[in-house]
Amino acid sequence: MGEIEWKVSPRLDSQKRLGKLINQHYNGARELEETRAQPVAWVSTMSPSEILWAMDFCVQYPEAYAATCGARHVAHAHCEITEMHGYERHLCTYCRNSLGSTLGVLEGQDIFEPLARPDFLLVTNNTCILITKWFEHLSYYWKIPMVSIDCPVLLSGVDEREIIDHVKDQCLDLIKLLEGFTGKKFDYDRFKEVAGNAKRSGDNYREMINTSKNVPVPATFFDIMGHNFPNLVLRHKPETAEHYELMNAELKQRIADRIVSMPDIKYRLYWDGIPYWVAIRELSEKLQSLGMCLVISSYFELFAFDRNDPFDPLEGVAANTALSYFSRSVDYKAKFTEQMFKDFKLDAGIFAYTIGCKSGSIGMHYISDYVNKKLGAPMTIIEGDLVDETFYNVERNNMKLQALAEMLEAKNK
Amino acid sequence: MEKILDKFKEFCMQPYDRAVEWKDAEPNRKVIGCIPMYFPEEILHAAGVLPVTLYGSDEPITMGEHHLMNNACHQVRSTFDSLLKGKYDFLDGVAALHVCDQVRFFLEVWQLDHPFPFFHEMWRPYRLDNTNRPFLTSELKRLISHLESFTGTEITIEAIRNSIGIYNESRYMMRKLNDIRRERPGIISASDMVCTVTSSMLIPREEHNQLLRELLSRIDNVLTPEDQRFKMVIIGHLCDAPDEGLLNLIENEGLSLIDDDFITGGRYYAVDVNPDGDPIESFADYYMNMIPCTTYHYVDCWRGDSDKYSPYADYTIDMLKKGQAAGIVILRAMYCDPFDMEFVLLRERLKEENIPFLALFIEKGSGSMEAVRTRVQAFVETL
């Protein structure tokens, strides 16, 4: 599977545009610290943010902030602050980063580019129930209101329609509460407009993911992982859909021009779990040295939001939340992963166990065994953490990756 | 009284022997294992099924580790270990309410790896208010319908009411026993109290009620010397039965445990289900009116206009005041996210109220009891 006839260009032009979008978002939010021209909401990933955007909120994501802090190697300092306040080390480090930076700001400590101070909190529990507790503590420290949306797992025997309606009823409660909070009537026309923008963004995001089916892949997992940010944080804006249009055009052009972003690709790999933001460089360098290219991950599914509907925005946002990948059973995820291996022509899988993420970790053994048994693809489970580098053991994980490469080599002999 | 308490202890030491015996006594009898906590056992009982609660074991976990990640709590890993060792082979099914993230994901793996003829997961909304109540009632109806198709028998309203009556009587007697413990410290040890409640979840409830009735009829005749120890409440929201040796150690070092919030204690028997009216609505009321649970989201606390931030802490403090206790012992299970988060707020409240407390991390099968003893002794000295 040597790629010697392909040109190597690691850098995507779209990276610059992504950087600009991210900076604009955070700088704009920080300006609000001064002007308070718009209310600021902190929101969990799977929440129906479209409702807040339609109410002209500036929406910030503590999870995205944690990922940034992890990548910049500043999260551990935030996590340490929480330990001083009695939080246990094994708790989710996204949560600890968020609470630590909050406590740091409130105590006047020097905190890395903190999010704009929130006026309101919105959380949905289909990722895990810990996240509701996390937001309760944010509410406690910031002394601001929060709303929690209860979103059941898609259990066997439960009607999907019933779960969508369950979420929808809570969205209506949220709208009513926000009308009281802002003193403004909810604007359904604006809601439709937001949902329309989000739908175009979501459709283009899906297309971006699908370009990775190409052999060889025009951009690796590491190249496109940051591009989930716009569809999460900015999908309500028309320029986000445009960003993905340009991104997709660039990826297609790379395919046409026979450009890849990594040399000597021997194997196409799957990544399961949230990335170890603290170890991106170590992982990408090690994998590249072994000829292993990370192609795709179910992680991208968490940011798909592809059920938005401008004609029925309430139904769309409720369905996004109710039917998200987070809400799916282990059985569903195992079968979905198997299908990804087929669609993206994958050779092996890396499962990223995260000590602080119980919900993401407990089913990993089953999923990796399932796909291994079905397809014979070798798998490895590495250990680490999303943002706290003190949990990451480079040597141990490198040995596991080396062993995976050896298994693939032996299999292909 | 001692004989009855010994019997309860025996049931806890051989937790499933009586269930196997019951099942084998007549053809077509079914036993369903319930994962702690809060599963509506009354509905299983009304279907003619014997519900038994699965508490894992104290044995070293030798097989469960290979199927679950090591950030799962002991209760989850130990229960899975027991399953793999064949200890649950007598079960016809497993049922659980999604009480936390770990139960939610571990259950799915369980059923996928080792399917049972009957398997039921139930969602109890974490935010319980009138908007979410219809989903809860729908889940209760789904349980009834699933059980009916599994057993082939209709579960009538009368049968559910009858079962509610039997379980309410059980809870009433346990509350009464706990009231006596609070009023006459030392009359029953904390470990005996735990065995009394735990055993109720392992054997036919009618039998347990009979034993409890006998125990209560004799307890007035028991003489207890004046208890010189410091009165304490013990909490921790554990999903399994706390270690008997640990409770005895705490009590032997000068603390008298007079109340608790264990699922094998106060949390289990605090609230009854209304025996009248529509049973589905009664169960919905039950879940909405339960004593504070660290997994719940209490809407009223978080709308920005309330001073309350830990209903769990408030409940605990009320328990302490009611028993005129000198402090609180907190047992903490490793890797219990909801409690670890709540602990930060609980600690705030206890400090606000100047309430002495001792927090101990516990993990069955590991850790030094001597280290615990030293901490308990040091705590007693501060009182």
Side-chain angles (χ1 to χ4, degrees), chain A residues 90 129 133 162 173 330 353, chain B residues 70 101 108 131 138 296 340:
Chain A
H90 69 83
I129 64 153
K133 298 284 130 190
E162 199 178 350
D173 277 359
V330 174
Y353 162 63
Chain B
N70 58 10
D101 293 325
E108 290 181 58
T131 302
S138 169
Y296 273 35
D340 283 343

Side-chain angles (χ1 to χ4, degrees), chain A residues 175-229:
Chain A
I175 289 170
K176 203 170 164 190
L177 186 135
L178 288 172
E179 285 181 330
F181 183 78
T182 60
K184 289 196 300 191
K185 195 90 185 130
F186 187 70
D187 183 344
Y188 277 89
D189 289 334
R190 174 72 185 132
F191 192 24
K192 285 179 181 172
E193 190 186 329
V194 163
N197 290 339
K199 177 170 171 45
R200 281 189 294 282
S201 176
D203 290 347
N204 293 347
Y205 175 83
R206 176 63 68 193
E207 196 181 328
M208 178 192 78
I209 296 169
N210 285 337
T211 58
S212 297
K213 289 177 181 169
N214 196 72
V215 180
V217 64
T220 70
F221 170 75
F222 294 117
D223 299 321
I224 60 171
M225 63 198 277
H227 292 268
N228 56 39
F229 183 90

Side-chain angles (χ1 to χ4, degrees), chain A residues 75-176:
Chain A
H76 178 64
H78 299 163
C79 291
E80 274 190 330
I81 297 173
T82 60
E83 283 170 42
M84 300 294 288
H85 284 79
Y87 293 90
E88 290 299 318
R89 281 195 88 220
H90 69 83
L91 291 167
C92 165
T93 48
Y94 271 17
C95 161
R96 286 170 58 217
N97 178 78
S98 166
L99 294 174
S101 59
T102 289
L103 287 162
V105 167
L106 292 171
E107 290 167 0
Q109 298 184 45
D110 191 18
I111 295 298
F112 170 80
E113 297 180 2
L115 294 177
R117 288 173 184 240
D119 302 297
F120 185 81
L121 300 160
L122 175 64
V123 66
T124 307
N125 65 2
N126 51 358
T127 47
C128 55
I129 64 153
L130 175 91
I131 203 164
T132 308
K133 298 284 130 190
W134 164 7
F135 274 62
E136 284 177 0
H137 287 228
L138 288 174
S139 172
Y140 173 68
Y141 293 127
W142 288 110
K143 304 196 184 318
I144 54 172
M146 72 173 279
V147 166
S148 165
I149 290 182
D150 181 78
C151 182
V153 179
L154 292 160
L155 303 171
S156 87
V158 174
D159 182 4
E160 286 187 0
R161 181 69 252 162
E162 199 178 350
I163 296 186
I164 295 170
D165 289 341
H166 176 60
V167 173
K168 210 191 252 187
D169 287 345
Q170 295 173 81
C171 288
L172 288 168
D173 277 359
L174 172 67
I175 289 170
K176 203 170 164 190

Side-chain angles (χ1 to χ4, degrees), chain A residues 241-283:
Chain A
E242 286 162 22
H243 164 74
Y244 288 115
E245 270 170 28
L246 293 168
M247 171 90 175
N248 293 335
E250 185 184 1
L251 292 170
K252 282 176 191 159
Q253 195 59 49
R254 282 167 77 93
I255 293 168
D257 294 344
R258 304 172 76 76
I259 295 172
V260 292
S261 61
M262 168 184 156
D264 304 323
I265 298 172
K266 288 190 204 162
Y267 307 112
R268 293 166 63 87
L269 264 68
Y270 166 78
W271 175 275
D272 194 284
I274 301 173
Y276 295 157
W277 298 105
V278 286
I280 297 297
R281 182 186 290 267
E282 287 90 342
L283 280 163

